Amino acid sequence: MHKRILIVEDEASIRDMVAFALRKAGMEAAQAADARAAQMAIAEQVPDLILLDWMLPGMSGLELARRLRKEELSREIPIIMLTARGEEMDRVNGLEAGVDDYVVKPFSTRELIARIKAVLRRSQGDDGSGVVEIGGLRIDGPAHRVFAGDESVPIGPTEYRLLYFFMTHPERVYTRAQLLDHVWGGSVYVEERTVDVHIRRLRKTLEPWQLDGMVQTVRGSGYRFSASP
């Protein structure tokens, strides 16, 4: 069954562009130009995910996110915020309002689709079986195992957690500090350079299957996981 994505965006050109990309990716697109129309669309049919513009006429996207998180019908719907506001404080405000992820404008539809798929996997138990597969690499959550094709990949516990995070958040750059927070947990004190060590170990683990190139260094920024070179 196709995933239904609700696009809440006041600019018709952006709505149409995103809707086209969603349909091309095998998803169903619903559209709303403001908060009131979005609430009506949700009441009519609950979407699998909401793409929500920050700057909406009338009620802002941030306020709508807060309201949706308080209502039983919509509190569990994952939300990706579309915004030109990339500052850390804005991201914090969005996360506190219940937003699951951010895509900063201007964005590519390829990146957007990858982020949608990643958020859907995280919110709905990966693909429903706890299995994530990207570019010939498969990770089985319940079994705590990794496969390259049909071959089992021996992997250490920290590299496993790092790989699982990367595979459920593809096509996005993360700094060392962000990886420490997401993979190791904010309450654990680990030097940022420790991330580099585990990145090298993860690449070495994947090297026999020539999959180490999926763990990419973005110079001056951090690391990204991608099936594209």
Side-chain angles (χ1 to χ4, degrees):
M1 191 172 179
H2 296 308
K3 298 296 184 183
R4 180 180 176 85
I5 313 299
L6 175 60
I7 309 161
V8 188
E9 164 66 62
D10 61 317
E11 292 188 37
S13 59
I14 295 179
R15 288 201 310 270
D16 292 342
M17 175 190 71
V18 173
F20 177 79
L22 289 170
R23 288 191 292 268
K24 192 175 178 182
M27 303 181 201
E28 182 184 344
Q31 300 185 29
D34 55 32
R36 185 171 179 272
Q39 290 171 310
M40 291 174 63
I42 293 167
E44 183 178 327
Q45 185 177 351
V46 177
D48 294 291
L49 182 143
I50 298 171
L51 294 175
L52 180 59
D53 183 38
W54 183 301
M55 300 295 289
L56 292 173
M59 186 191 304
S60 72
L62 191 65
E63 179 58 31
L64 178 57
R66 290 193 183 103
R67 294 196 181 192
L68 293 176
R69 285 294 174 253
K70 292 177 182 177
E71 297 173 6
E72 186 175 353
L73 185 65
S74 56
R75 66 177 51 152
E76 294 184 3
I77 304 172
I79 299 172
I80 296 178
M81 185 74 83
L82 305 177
T83 178
R85 306 165 70 107
E87 291 81 7
E88 183 180 0
M89 199 60 235
D90 292 326
R91 294 197 300 270
V92 170
N93 287 337
L95 293 170
E96 288 178 347
V99 171
D100 296 276
D101 201 357
Y102 268 87
V103 175
V104 178
K105 297 178 180 179
F107 55 81
S108 71
T109 53
R110 178 183 172 185
E111 178 197 7
L112 181 62
I113 296 300
R115 300 276 274 276
I116 289 170
K117 290 179 177 178
V119 170
L120 286 172
R121 282 196 296 268
R122 300 200 311 261
S123 65
Q124 299 175 4
D126 306 323
D127 67 357
S129 63
V131 176
V132 184
E133 186 167 3
I134 299 175
L137 191 63
R138 187 171 82 256
I139 193 163
D140 185 331
H144 212 75
R145 297 182 70 185
V146 177
F147 298 88
D150 294 325
E151 293 184 64
S152 180
V153 177
I155 190 168
T158 301
E159 286 70 44
Y160 176 90
R161 292 200 308 273
L162 186 58
L163 179 62
Y164 189 90
F165 178 79
F166 273 140
M167 290 184 70
T168 52
H169 301 75
E171 306 294 343
R172 182 173 180 181
V173 178
Y174 286 90
T175 65
R176 294 179 181 88
Q178 289 172 324
L179 288 172
L180 283 175
D181 188 50
H182 288 293
V183 178
W184 279 264
S187 61
V188 178
Y189 180 76
V190 184
E191 292 285 346
E192 286 191 6
R193 290 295 171 183
T194 302
V195 175
D196 298 339
V197 174
H198 288 287
I199 289 287
R200 287 197 296 271
R201 288 179 180 175
L202 178 56
R203 284 173 173 158
K204 189 173 181 180
T205 297
L206 300 176
E207 192 175 11
W209 293 272
Q210 298 182 323
L211 295 172
D212 50 305
M214 297 173 79
V215 183
Q216 301 171 359
T217 300
V218 180
R219 193 173 298 277
S221 298
Y223 298 99
R224 171 180 58 215
F225 187 86
S226 177
S228 304

